[in-house]
Amino acid sequence: MATRRAYGVALAKLGEASKRVVALDGDTKNSTFSETFKKAFPDRYIECFIAEQNMVGVAIGCATRDRTVAFASTFAAFFSRGYDQIRMGAISQSNVNLVGSHCGVSIGEDGPSQMALEDLAIFRAIPTCTVFYPSDAVSTERAVELSANTKGICFIRTSRPDNAVIYSPDEKFEVGIAKVVRQSDSDCVTVIGAGVTLHEALAAADMLASEGKNIRVIDPFTIKPLDAATIMASARATKGQIITVEDHYKEGGLGEAVLSAVGGEPGIVVTRLAVSGVPRSGKSTELLDMFGISAKHIANAVRQTFAN
Amino acid sequence: MEDYHKPDQQTVQALRNIANRLRINSIKATTAAGSGHPTSCCSVAEILSVLYFHSMKYRPEDPRNSNSDRFIMSKGHAAPALYSMWVETGFLKESELLSLCQVDSSLEGHPNPKQQIVDVATGSLGQGLGVACGMAYTGKYFDKSSYRVFCLLGDGEMSEGAVWEAMSFASYYQLDNLVAIMDINRLGQCDAAPLQHHVEKYQKRCEAFGVEELCKALSQPRHQPTAIIAKTIKGKGIPAAEDKLGWHAKTLPKDMAEMVTKDLQSRIMNSSKHLYPPSPVEDSPPVSLRNIRMPSAPSYKTGEKIATRKAYGMALAKIGRYNERVVVLDGDTNNLTCSDIFKNEHPNRFVECYIAQQNMVSVAMGCAARERNVVFASTLAAFFTRAYDQLRMAAISECDINLCGSHCGLSTGEEGPALMALEDVAMFRALPTATIFYPCDGVSTEKAVELAAMTKGVCYIRTSRQDSAIIYNSNEDFHVGEAKVVYQGKDDQVTVVAAGVTLHEALAAAEHLKKERISVRVIDPFTIKPLDVKTIIDNTRATRGRILTVEDHYYEGGLGEAVSSALINEPGLNQVRLAVSHVPRSGKPHELLKIYGIDRDSIAQSIRKMLSSSTNAK
């Protein structure tokens, strides 16, 4: 199930639990799946049409004086349209929740104008922000619940393509706590991915296992705050080798967040895979490959660490 | 309407045929791709046919010709319709259409300027009209030539505020060479657009903004931009989809596509008329943007004090003196950004954009299109966040624009955090085509302006509010991606990398620490992107691997993270970072620098700590 679809299911579920949950969208509800909430609670859904600045402002307004728990969604790329409003939202100590779908090159054919590749950077730079990047349906649902209960600006990054459910329904999630989703006694590298690239990392782990090599795979769950302790512990257990892989540009995203977390620790080597240069239209899987963040590239990067 | 000559029957039939071929091609292409927006293409078929084969004067064999009328498909998702027009002109091959969206095709899901037929990328809605304004402004006031600019908008996107910023601008500047065509097909992505088919409401809104509706305009002399409000049917030509919800971005399944295209084909009547677009008037002046240089070296003297924002204004005026295609835009902040210095000297090349930063960035892109101008646009750095989607699209559009943001960081002082840019370096670093200049004094600011003018892509110059000392000689050479070591001694213990206001704080800290027999080296990166990785690494190695970064910016995405990225995998290096960690408050600048831990005392204290922990480690 795509995490975008899981968002819709989760929001409707949350809306069932609390009458104060309201949802907003910018004429993309059938893409972001906020329509699932709308169908269940039409009176608590606000269509903002194609006007993202205003949608963010309206969401902030809805959340003032604790009148509602507001979730506003659109394509992650279009939150760039409302960035000044988001910046002011932090200065205003707003508790608004923003959900951006269609992140990264994994959206495929529609091309770069619809792809968010800088959203992790801009949301990380917001002081009061918590950045969730759930990798499956279960963790998406937990992210929605946590956002509703976390102060400040919460951003949840969802993806377009379907992917496997990897967590059991009773897995507990917390802000700033990563999950080690694959490990063994003889892991040689720690690979950190999120969303689409977490699944690519798992696929790479399978490829490498068949070559007799094991890797540890970490799902950060929240990019901000980042679980530095888990990452460090894992790095130490894997001879200091870390590979980060993200469906995002190199600057300001998962890779730089990890660098900031492990920076200064001796003996840690970090290899970063990310999208470089403006991408293009194509099939989702072809683009992941073309822009160096697919399972094949992750496996190559792992093999490269042996060579060095 | 005496000026209006109704086209003859043969011409009308030929235009109808082209429209139906557009429908056929859009359906075929999107069905083959399994992706795209055929119903959005179908509603604009007649509009495009008339524009491309009747109204616009252009050279089909030279899509970027400087004399040609310009066209912007603001509703970018109708890309296949645009591509179909260029198949009709013969510039593109019909077979190429079937490769739409494929990973090796030049025809992507939304228009981008890798294709000659596109000036700026669209796909993020509501931005095209602003760019069209920039092109029209250039045509009317800079080129003073006859070309017109046409922009096609969808009704869904007219909810975007940026559209109305553009309307205001167009009417204020009497851009009578601009025509906005609105495809009112009633349906958005999920629901009907708010005004549905109430074209009279659109008319009233346009008129309220000073934009004349076509029929009225034709009968009077035109001093205002024009809008054509077209009442259309989404999915026209696809019976199952006409005016129906649920068909946005839906491609036709193969058998339906075949049936529909067969029906459309049958409506294509033989016409003896072969239409060819009329030629443009060749009255656009030749322009060369190579060699935009400063006429002389900076004239500042060491020890003088000037704010980098003022140095920016003076540099602009200087470069504008000898290069008449340098134009400057501002968002009602010219006395703060100091672009007023340029304005006072070259008023005809200054474009006031008022408090509408999104539109300002789009207009800048339009002015820079087809290499007509070297454009500088300025406002307070914090307000470029207002235009981040436009900046994102500028990178995708491969635009060459120069932006200057003043009042960066805590140096803004008393006005408080609403006016402080503390995330701007992060947002510009994440743009693929960006170069980020963060000059610390008047000399380097002037050099930054000159370099920005010559550097492709989105160039961003970050300036500060308060005065700072001149530290460079006038004949110092500066390059993009080249840092300067501005303070060093023998046996330096720590390398400090700082910029703008924190560079001066670092110098003060260095002087102070000298008295404690602690010797440090200070580096001015000059450009944060690209960063001079080699200089930073070499100097850090020379200072026993110790490096401290200090920035007037939040921790995330700025100078500190740029340096960490650079030092990645260099063994034995230890970086400490100072930055602003919380939303700040109002106060005197020097007080704020202290409270948020990026002033000279904090720097000195950090250095002492780094040295004592090294000693302890030993």
Side-chain angles (χ1 to χ4, degrees):
Chain A
M1 180 184 270
T3 52
R4 61 174 175 138
R5 190 184 281 271
Y7 165 68
V9 171
L11 192 64
K13 211 163 154 180
L14 196 72
E16 182 73 50
S18 165
K19 283 215 221 357
R20 304 312 281 188
V21 172
V22 302
L24 297 81
D25 200 293
D27 194 19
T28 53
K29 62 184 188 295
N30 63 338
S31 298
T32 61
F33 284 95
S34 62
E35 68 177 0
T36 314
F37 180 95
K38 183 188 178 190
K39 286 195 182 100
F41 307 105
D43 293 346
R44 288 194 265 140
Y45 173 84
I46 308 173
E47 182 53 70
C48 297
F49 300 100
I50 306 175
E52 298 78 18
Q53 294 187 88
N54 188 58
M55 178 177 76
V56 172
V58 170
I60 290 170
C62 287
T64 52
R65 303 198 189 187
D66 289 344
R67 305 311 295 157
T68 67
V69 175
F71 281 82
S73 52
T74 184
F75 281 33
F78 303 146
F79 276 116
S80 62
R81 195 61 157 265
Y83 193 47
D84 195 13
Q85 284 76 4
I86 294 167
R87 182 183 75 88
M88 289 304 293
I91 295 172
S92 306
Q93 298 170 28
S94 174
N95 298 322
V96 78
N97 306 295
L98 307 174
V99 183
S101 69
H102 291 68
C103 65
V105 302
S106 61
I107 74 164
E109 287 85 350
D110 269 351
S113 65
Q114 318 292 301
M115 296 170 173
L117 290 152
E118 56 290 289
D119 54 320
L120 292 178
I122 65 174
F123 277 101
R124 280 185 68 236
I126 299 288
T128 68
C129 196
T130 301
V131 178
F132 295 87
Y133 193 176
S135 302
D136 83 339
V138 169
S139 49
T140 301
E141 195 162 301
R142 296 273 74 84
V144 170
E145 184 183 37
L146 286 163
S147 290
N149 291 291
T150 304
K151 287 203 173 298
I153 311 244
C154 290
F155 174 60
I156 304 175
R157 195 187 206 229
T158 67
S159 305
R160 179 181 178 235
D162 287 338
N163 52 43
V165 173
I166 62 170
Y167 294 107
S168 84
D170 44 42
E171 182 80 31
K172 288 213 182 343
F173 284 85
E174 287 170 63
V175 166
I177 302 288
K179 299 285 184 186
V180 180
V181 296
R182 180 75 66 99
Q183 64 181 327
S184 76
D185 290 328
S186 58
D187 295 327
C188 49
V189 179
T190 293
V191 178
I192 309 172
V196 124
T197 59
L198 184 84
H199 295 271
E200 292 298 311
L202 289 171
D206 290 337
M207 276 183 212
L208 291 160
S210 69
E211 292 167 30
K213 293 272 175 277
N214 292 325
I215 60 172
R216 188 159 298 191
V217 180
I218 293 183
D219 171 6
F221 182 58
T222 51
I223 312 294
K224 174 173 178 166
L226 194 67
D227 187 350
T230 299
I231 291 171
M232 281 303 315
S234 184
R236 286 195 199 99
T238 57
K239 306 184 192 152
Q241 294 285 349
I242 298 178
I243 294 173
T244 63
V245 52
E246 58 194 301
D247 198 352
H248 188 273
Y249 289 135
K250 255 199 159 72
E251 293 86 359
L254 171 63
E256 284 193 356
V258 168
L259 279 185
S260 287
V262 307
E265 288 294 329
I268 307 277
V269 176
V270 183
T271 304
R272 295 175 306 146
L273 302 179
V275 177
S276 49
V278 173
R280 49 155 304 126
S281 287
K283 287 198 190 36
S284 180
T285 47
E286 285 176 327
L287 295 179
L288 289 175
D289 222 25
M290 189 181 237
F291 290 95
I293 56 174
S294 64
K296 179 179 94 183
H297 290 281
I298 297 170
N300 280 339
V302 171
R303 293 186 198 102
Q304 195 61 32
T305 65
F306 313 144
N308 292 343
Chain B
M1 289 210 222
E2 325 104 53
D3 285 323
Y4 178 58
H5 296 289
K6 195 171 172 180
D8 62 53
Q9 202 33 49
Q10 292 285 345
T11 303
V12 171
Q13 187 56 52
L15 289 169
R16 281 211 180 97
N17 290 345
I18 291 170
N20 279 325
R21 279 203 293 276
L22 180 157
R23 292 189 165 94
I24 291 170
N25 283 329
S26 301
I27 291 166
K28 279 187 173 157
T30 53
T31 293
S35 173
H37 307 70
T39 54
S40 309
C41 295
C42 284
S43 59
V44 300
E46 280 75 17
I47 294 168
L48 284 185
S49 160
V50 169
L51 276 176
Y52 273 86
F53 288 92
H54 183 74
S55 314
M56 295 204 299
K57 298 187 170 113
Y58 66 103
R59 296 221 166 280
E61 74 286 358
D62 181 16
R64 298 250 180 107
N65 185 280
S66 57
N67 293 304
S68 292
D69 286 350
R70 281 92 158 120
F71 175 76
I72 295 184
M73 177 68 92
S74 187
K75 56 173 274 182
H77 51 288
L82 176 67
Y83 303 151
S84 298
M85 282 303 93
W86 287 94
V87 168
E88 291 289 328
T89 66
F91 188 81
L92 291 177
K93 291 201 221 7
E94 201 170 307
S95 55
E96 277 182 79
L97 278 175
L98 294 176
S99 72
L100 178 71
C101 292
Q102 283 173 20
V103 81
D104 50 2
S105 169
S106 69
L107 299 184
E108 300 197 32
H110 292 78
N112 74 75
K114 291 203 281 274
Q115 310 144 350
Q116 283 298 299
I117 60 174
V118 171
D119 286 289
V120 290
T122 49
S124 180
L125 297 174
Q127 299 188 27
L129 192 60
V131 178
C133 283
M135 291 174 160
Y137 192 100
T138 295
K140 179 166 179 161
Y141 296 107
F142 299 142
D143 284 339
K144 298 187 175 56
S145 47
S146 314
Y147 63 79
R148 296 166 78 192
V149 184
F150 296 83
C151 180
L152 179 53
L153 293 91
D155 50 357
E157 78 176 306
M158 288 180 69
S159 286
E160 286 285 8
V163 170
W164 301 95
E165 290 185 13
M167 295 270 206
S168 288
F169 183 96
S171 131
Y172 183 77
Y173 287 109
Q174 299 182 302
L175 300 180
D176 53 2
N177 56 348
L178 174 66
V179 181
I181 304 123
M182 293 152 196
D183 173 37
I184 311 299
N185 67 17
R186 195 177 77 85
L187 302 176
Q189 171 167 320
C190 315
D191 301 307
L195 297 183
Q196 304 238 19
H197 259 153
H198 289 288
V199 287
E200 71 288 355
K201 289 189 178 164
Y202 284 101
Q203 182 181 343
K204 287 207 176 104
R205 288 188 184 187
C206 289
E207 282 172 358
F209 275 76
V211 175
E212 293 284 335
E213 203 244 333
L214 178 68
C215 292
K216 258 199 193 144
L218 278 180
S219 59
Q220 298 153 317
R222 226 175 6 222
H223 293 301
Q224 289 306 109
T226 317
I228 298 173
I229 302 162
K231 185 173 182 180
T232 58
I233 304 287
K234 191 160 182 169
K236 176 85 179 169
I238 306 169
E242 282 187 8
D243 201 34
K244 297 240 173 27
L245 278 172
W247 275 93
H248 180 84
K250 293 270 181 304
T251 58
L252 274 61
K254 213 157 174 245
D255 40 328
M256 186 191 264
E258 272 167 24
M259 203 171 67
V260 170
T261 52
K262 204 168 161 200
D263 177 54
L264 286 165
Q265 190 65 44
S266 71
R267 305 206 205 154
I268 293 173
M269 319 274 206
N270 269 324
S271 167
S272 59
K273 208 82 182 240
H274 179 80
L275 298 179
Y276 200 76
S279 300
V281 178
E282 313 243 329
D283 58 359
S284 181
V287 166
S288 171
L289 300 184
R290 290 164 214 284
N291 259 325
I292 303 283
R293 295 223 113 90
M294 286 293 186
S296 57
S299 53
Y300 301 110
K301 303 211 170 20
T302 347
E304 252 185 79
K305 278 192 157 217
I306 187 170
T308 52
R309 62 175 171 132
K310 184 155 186 208
Y312 166 74
M314 298 188 49
L316 268 192
K318 191 169 168 180
I319 204 171
R321 233 167 266 156
Y322 299 91
N323 299 285
E324 41 169 57
R325 296 309 289 209
V326 170
V327 304
V328 172
L329 287 68
D330 200 289
D332 195 16
T333 50
N334 62 65
N335 62 333
L336 296 176
T337 61
C338 299
S339 65
D340 58 351
I341 303 175
F342 178 97
K343 178 187 177 189
N344 295 333
E345 201 177 305
H346 315 284
N348 295 340
R349 288 191 269 135
F350 179 84
V351 185
E352 180 56 73
C353 294
Y354 299 97
I355 305 176
Q357 297 82 17
Q358 292 185 86
N359 189 59
M360 179 176 77
V361 171
S362 292
V363 170
M365 288 165 66
C367 288
R370 302 201 186 186
E371 299 189 335
R372 302 310 293 160
N373 300 295
V374 172
V375 187
F376 284 84
S378 49
T379 187
L380 269 58
F383 302 146
F384 277 116
T385 57
R386 197 59 159 263
Y388 193 54
D389 197 14
Q390 282 77 1
L391 295 171
R392 186 181 73 88
M393 291 304 291
I396 295 171
S397 300
E398 298 175 9
C399 281
D400 298 328
I401 52 171
N402 307 297
L403 307 168
C404 180
S406 72
H407 293 65
C408 65
L410 302 176
S411 69
T412 295
E414 290 83 346
E415 300 260 35
L419 274 65
M420 296 172 175
L422 291 152
E423 57 288 289
D424 54 322
V425 177
M427 78 176 194
F428 277 102
R429 281 188 67 236
L431 293 182
T433 68
T435 300
I436 301 174
F437 297 87
Y438 191 179
C440 66
D441 81 341
V443 170
S444 49
T445 301
E446 191 163 307
K447 293 295 183 176
V449 168
E450 185 181 35
L451 286 164
M454 295 192 295
T455 303
K456 287 199 169 299
V458 175
C459 290
Y460 174 59
I461 303 173
R462 197 185 202 231
T463 65
S464 301
R465 178 189 167 215
Q466 322 97 298
D467 289 348
S468 53
I470 299 291
I471 66 167
Y472 292 109
N473 285 326
S474 317
N475 49 24
E476 184 78 33
D477 224 359
F478 284 85
H479 299 279
V480 166
E482 197 177 278
K484 301 282 184 190
V485 180
V486 296
Y487 194 94
Q488 63 183 325
K490 292 202 247 293
D491 198 31
D492 292 327
Q493 312 259 36
V494 179
T495 294
V496 183
V497 183
V501 80
T502 59
L503 184 92
H504 294 276
E505 292 299 308
L507 288 172
E511 275 302 322
H512 188 86
L513 288 167
K514 225 170 158 171
K515 301 186 191 120
E516 294 168 38
R517 310 275 184 83
I518 297 174
S519 183
V520 302
R521 189 166 297 192
V522 181
I523 294 182
D524 170 10
F526 182 57
T527 51
I528 312 291
K529 175 169 175 162
L531 195 65
D532 186 348
V533 174
K534 182 169 193 311
T535 298
I536 291 171
I537 290 178
D538 287 349
N539 282 280
T540 305
R541 290 209 180 291
T543 56
R544 332 267 177 90
R546 296 187 206 103
I547 176 169
L548 174 70
T549 59
V550 196
E551 57 194 302
D552 195 355
H553 188 274
Y554 290 132
Y555 272 96
E556 294 85 359
L559 171 63
E561 282 194 354
V563 170
S564 315
S565 265
L567 300 186
I568 185 178
N569 305 332
E570 294 289 324
L573 304 188
N574 179 29
Q575 179 188 359
V576 172
R577 296 182 301 142
L578 295 179
V580 179
S581 54
H582 296 101
V583 173
R585 48 154 306 120
S586 286
K588 291 196 185 37
H590 69 270
E591 289 174 337
L592 295 177
L593 292 177
K594 193 179 192 66
I595 293 170
Y596 295 98
I598 57 171
D599 72 332
R600 57 199 66 185
D601 293 337
S602 311
I603 293 171
Q605 195 47 22
S606 258
I607 289 170
R608 288 185 202 103
K609 232 177 167 178
M610 285 170 88
L611 293 176
S612 78
S613 60
S614 290
T615 323
N616 292 343
K618 288 191 189 113

